[in-house]
């Protein structure tokens, strides 16, 4: 996630497809999650973990999320 933001132009909008357990559910990623959310403007996070098998057939055993972020400092609005 961090590498994508570093390569993006200033104010660029990105949609990152990530493994949800690594970003949302792993307690070891708390430090990185706080850093990322405080550095970039994250507008939305869609967690597809519970519908992975519907989206990706029987091979959908890996929880996935879509994270929408802008390469700029966070604004004051809450994440939707």
């Amino acid at each position: 996630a961090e590498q994508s933001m570093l390569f993006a132009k200033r104010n660029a909008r990105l949609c990152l497809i990530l493994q949800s357990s690594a970003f949302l559910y792993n307690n070891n990623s708390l430090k990185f999650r706080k850093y990322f959310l405080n550095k970039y403007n994250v507008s939305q996070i869609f967690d597809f973990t519970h519908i992975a098998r519907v989206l990706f057939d029987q091979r959908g055993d890996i929880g996935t999320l879509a994270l929408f972020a802008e390469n700029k400092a966070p604004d004051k609005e809450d994440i939707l």
Side-chain angles (χ1 to χ4, degrees), residues 6-61:
L6 293 175
F7 285 114
K9 290 182 179 180
R10 185 80 182 135
N11 298 321
R13 292 181 185 157
L14 299 175
C15 175
L16 304 174
I17 307 299
L18 305 170
Q19 186 175 351
S20 57
S21 62
F23 191 81
L24 291 178
Y25 302 114
N26 187 338
N27 288 334
N28 293 328
S29 67
L30 181 62
K31 184 177 178 181
F32 173 74
R33 187 169 52 245
K34 284 183 177 183
Y35 162 78
F36 193 88
L37 294 172
N38 286 312
K39 183 169 182 175
Y40 302 108
N41 188 42
V42 176
S43 59
Q44 295 178 317
I45 299 174
F46 293 103
D47 185 3
F48 302 116
T49 300
H50 299 292
I51 59 169
R53 289 189 180 200
V54 174
L55 294 173
F56 307 115
D57 199 21
Q58 294 300 317
R59 295 177 299 261
D61 287 336

